[in-house]
Amino acid sequence: MATTNWLVSSPTPSVFLHPPGSPRLAFASIKNQTLVKTRVSFLTNAKRRLPAVLSMTATEEGAVKSVLPGNGISIMVNGCTGKMGKAVIKAADTAGVNIVPTSFGSASEAGQTVEVCGKEITVHGPTERERDNAELYSRVGVPFVMGTTGGDREKLYESVEKAKIYAVISPQMGKQVVAFLAAMEIMAEQFPGAFSGYSLEVMESHQASKLDASGTAKAVISCFQELGVSYDMDQIQLIRDPKQQVEMVGVPEEHVSGHAFHLYHLTSPDETVSFEFQHNVCGRSIYAEGTVDAVLFLAKKIRLKADQRIYNMIDVLRGKHALSFQVLSTWCGSRRAES
């Protein structure tokens, strides 16, 4: 890692790797909608219309000492003045990752100094649009992590793939949410039509600044469509009013400005059976920790001289749990040898 530059990101921010009790929700009826066959997928690295426990222990001379996984890795967090950027810096600092005291920001932020985790970071501007940032990273040849749901996806992937650099790009950085999405895709692929005839109601609540429907919700709905449910994406119930979010949805007041609540309610044709899937996120730590996991994953790929390509959060999850299994197997083997 001593010669590698990187980028890690928050929703629009990015990061360089450098060397060294609420009332029941009300739903609108959404039966008999047209089945949409287009599917949003999180499982592969194809051009889709998208997308830790940060400590380990080692035994030395009978003593157990903490080893931070980010030792020896340096990153540049772009967009660090926002709440997401600051959350990424805090998660990276906890993991032992070194934060370069420089960041790219908007023209209005140029020249500002931001202090996060006792570190002073100077912001330089102006920042180009997200896709252009990726083109810059590709041109310079620096590995990067980017969490994004916007922009021109095809051009983003095209510029990065052409450069043949290491990158993790995903519309969803929360690894637990990604695992849930992967499980939904597996169910849809193995049991198509299992919910044929069922009606679907979807509610999602985000901070008022998020005007469009959640990409995560659309991905889950795509799976339900393959499971036989007829549903129109335009029927997603968006909750953006803070008063409704607190009183109807049950969002804690302190998280009205940063949350992601999703509810999917399925009802059988005769209304005698119902299923409900729900995932609620308060704050940004789940995305920040997932971003740092992606950094550690990419650092390992570079160290092992793995394929230089675009990875996603499914790759990160598989790599992380494969490593955990190897560590556990090694530990169990040493214990058996001792006994």
Side-chain angles (χ1 to χ4, degrees), residues 43-310:
L43 279 177
T44 71
N45 288 305
K47 292 183 181 178
R48 303 285 182 144
R49 295 285 186 178
L50 306 169
V53 176
L54 296 175
S55 62
M56 297 172 64
T57 58
T59 303
E60 277 191 11
E61 298 178 356
V64 177
K65 85 172 188 179
S66 176
V67 178
L68 294 176
N71 286 343
I73 299 174
S74 293
I75 63 173
M76 175 180 177
V77 181
N78 292 326
C80 71
T81 60
K83 293 179 180 178
M84 190 66 241
K86 291 177 180 177
V88 170
I89 291 173
K90 290 178 181 177
D93 184 69
T94 299
V97 175
N98 179 55
I99 308 298
V100 175
T102 303
S103 176
F104 293 138
S106 65
S108 62
E109 297 169 333
Q112 291 185 18
T113 298
V114 180
E115 185 172 341
V116 185
C117 297
K119 306 174 188 301
E120 290 190 349
I121 301 172
T122 303
V123 181
H124 296 273
T127 294
E128 299 178 17
R129 290 176 304 172
E130 177 183 81
R131 179 174 63 82
D132 294 327
N133 278 347
E135 289 176 352
L136 170 63
Y137 309 154
S138 299
R139 187 168 63 251
V140 177
V142 292
F144 69 93
V145 176
M146 180 178 286
T148 176
T149 57
D152 189 323
R153 306 298 300 178
E154 286 189 359
K155 290 185 178 179
L156 170 62
Y157 276 74
E158 181 181 353
S159 62
V160 178
E161 288 175 345
K162 184 177 179 180
K164 296 188 183 300
I165 61 174
Y166 293 99
V168 173
I169 302 176
S170 176
Q172 170 61 256
M173 301 306 293
K175 56 185 182 290
Q176 293 84 1
V177 178
V178 172
F180 167 69
L181 289 168
M184 287 296 301
E185 288 200 6
I186 291 170
M187 180 168 66
E189 290 171 0
Q190 295 191 6
F191 309 108
F195 286 91
S196 292
Y198 275 64
S199 61
L200 174 65
E201 298 164 318
V202 179
M203 181 283 299
E204 60 99 326
S205 173
H206 288 78
Q207 56 275 12
S209 60
K210 182 173 177 57
L211 303 179
D212 58 339
S214 162
T216 300
K218 290 179 179 179
V220 173
I221 291 168
S222 294
C223 293
F224 283 128
Q225 289 170 339
E226 290 200 10
L227 286 164
V229 177
S230 181
Y231 188 86
D232 190 329
M233 294 287 184
D234 293 336
Q235 299 301 319
I236 300 174
Q237 184 179 359
L238 307 181
I239 309 295
R240 296 295 183 267
D241 179 67
K243 189 172 185 294
Q244 286 186 327
Q245 290 173 342
V246 173
E247 297 179 357
M248 185 179 80
V249 182
V251 178
E253 287 190 36
E254 63 270 26
H255 292 296
V256 166
S257 63
H259 70 279
F261 278 40
H262 296 74
L263 180 64
Y264 314 89
H265 187 87
L266 291 157
T267 305
S268 64
D270 62 0
E271 300 185 349
T272 61
V273 181
S274 65
F275 291 83
E276 209 163 74
F277 298 78
Q278 184 171 357
H279 53 94
N280 300 337
V281 174
C282 291
R284 297 170 174 82
S285 61
I286 185 175
Y287 312 117
E289 291 171 2
T291 298
V292 172
D293 273 0
V295 170
L296 301 179
F297 166 85
L298 213 53
K300 182 182 177 184
K301 289 296 181 183
I302 294 169
R303 187 173 65 252
L304 296 176
K305 298 181 179 180
D307 292 341
Q308 292 180 267
R309 63 177 180 85
I310 298 174

